[in-house]
Amino acid sequence: MPTLASATVGARLWLLVEYPGPWPSHLESFDLPEDVAALVRRALDRGVRPQLIRRPGRRARPRQQGMRVLVAYGEGPEPWLASGFVAGPDDLDLDALVAGVVPESCILEDEPVFLVCTHAKRNACCARIGLPLARTLAENLPGRVWETSHVGGDRYAANLVCLPHGIFYGSMSQAAAIAAANAYRLGEVILDRFRGRAGIPEPLQAVEHFARAHTGECSVGAVAVESSRSDGDVTEAIVRVGDTRLQVVVEPSAFRAPCGTACAETITTYRLVSLDRLAPVRYATPALT
């Protein structure tokens, strides 16, 4: 099953709340302790993506006073991640996060974190495949791995999210997850099972994928869409890859899951229509006076 261009579009700002108790099938139901529910509600009201997290292998235990939180700002070329411990839901300045500023109650992290979806109440496959993957990944990267609630794209279980950039991978084996996490720690992505970067429209995720595949560029920050336009279903974009500029055209393509209607309907992915390298600009036109 193709995984490209399937990262969650509406997620550039993240709030992770440690909660080892039972997770509801949908966070929007707010079927949670009052303080956690209030923090989730505040995040949703501000366009911040909330996630419940817990350490791999840990389940419900007596809760301490307050909440451990992590926030990630995935906008722009220099995303950041910060963590803190707050006494209550009003003690975390989410407006600062929206503005791209580290909340006063948090401090910057110098290592990424990795989320593995294990949300059984949302999809049994996420727990069946995600739980052992999260445990194995945590053994390789102690303290940097969390089980998490639904991240989107259950059909791609097991799902891995790398923060703060919001890099999504799907259909992960344990070996593939270790390789992807180690690559991300070096500032790189691996195209195998790469779903895309969260917060970017799906056609532009596809554009980035094909630009990387064509050039072999793996640096996280080396690919950027400079401009794009759509004509019906066709999307044309100008992409910068290092010092090279490409014109990439993509369009939707239907894919029928091999398990048929019992599991997943027809899936929309993207196909490459054309890719052309643009000639570099060798001079600038003098300004008219």
Side-chain angles (χ1 to χ4, degrees), residues 80-124:
W80 50 262
L81 176 75
S83 64
F85 194 84
V86 296
D90 295 327
D91 295 322
L92 179 63
D93 188 355
L94 289 175
D95 293 325
L97 171 62
V98 172
V101 178
V102 178
E104 288 187 2
S105 55
C106 298
I107 59 173
L108 284 172
E109 297 266 325
D110 57 6
E111 285 279 341
V113 298
F114 303 94
L115 309 180
V116 179
C117 182
T118 60
H119 200 164
K121 284 187 179 179
R122 191 62 177 258
N123 187 289

Side-chain angles (χ1 to χ4, degrees), residues 10-21:
R12 296 305 295 271
L13 309 175
W14 299 74
L15 167 66
L16 316 180
V17 183
E18 184 177 15
Y19 178 60

Side-chain angles (χ1 to χ4, degrees), residues 34-279:
E34 183 177 347
D35 53 353
V36 178
L39 193 49
V40 168
R41 185 177 288 108
R42 290 186 62 228
L44 291 171
D45 288 345
R46 289 161 175 79
V48 176
R49 171 85 182 201
Q51 297 286 145
L52 302 179
I53 58 173
R54 61 189 171 214
R55 289 298 186 190
R58 296 184 186 175
R59 290 297 178 266
R61 65 179 187 274
R63 294 187 61 215
Q64 299 175 338
Q65 294 297 315
M67 293 175 285
R68 177 184 175 89
V69 297
L70 291 92
V71 291
Y73 184 81
E75 298 278 2
E78 296 184 0
W80 50 262
L81 176 75
S83 64
F85 194 84
V86 296
D90 295 327
D91 295 322
L92 179 63
D93 188 355
L94 289 175
D95 293 325
L97 171 62
V98 172
V101 178
V102 178
E104 288 187 2
S105 55
C106 298
I107 59 173
L108 284 172
E109 297 266 325
D110 57 6
E111 285 279 341
V113 298
F114 303 94
L115 309 180
V116 179
C117 182
T118 60
H119 200 164
K121 284 187 179 179
R122 191 62 177 258
N123 187 289
C125 292
C126 291
R128 179 176 58 83
I129 307 173
L131 286 170
L133 187 147
R135 287 193 292 267
T136 297
L137 194 58
E139 291 170 359
N140 285 267
L141 296 169
R144 308 313 302 172
V145 179
W146 297 89
E147 294 181 19
T148 193
S149 53
H150 177 67
V151 297
D154 297 326
R155 63 171 64 94
Y156 302 110
N159 282 297
L160 173 69
V161 182
C162 310
L163 292 177
H165 282 82
I167 300 296
F168 271 58
Y169 289 93
S171 303
M172 298 300 278
S173 66
Q174 295 180 19
I178 293 171
N182 286 334
Y184 184 64
R185 295 180 73 218
L186 296 174
E188 299 179 347
V189 299
I190 295 175
L191 279 188
D192 181 36
R193 313 183 199 205
F194 177 51
R195 290 183 57 190
R197 182 174 175 179
I200 298 174
E202 290 178 352
L204 300 187
Q205 292 182 38
V207 163
E208 176 183 340
H209 179 97
F210 290 122
R212 288 185 181 278
H214 177 77
T215 62
E217 179 59 65
C218 57
S219 175
V220 171
V223 179
V225 175
E226 294 182 341
S227 63
S228 66
R229 66 183 182 90
S230 296
D231 183 3
D233 288 338
V234 177
T235 298
E236 175 186 330
I238 304 300
V239 190
R240 176 186 53 78
V241 183
D243 295 328
T244 301
R245 295 171 74 242
L246 305 172
Q247 182 184 53
V248 184
V249 180
V250 300
E251 67 179 7
S253 176
F255 173 82
R256 175 71 67 177
C259 55
T261 57
C263 177
E265 61 302 337
T266 299
I267 298 168
T268 298
T269 183
Y270 289 84
R271 76 175 191 90
L272 179 65
V273 176
S274 65
L275 187 153
D276 297 291
R277 188 180 296 258
L278 300 178

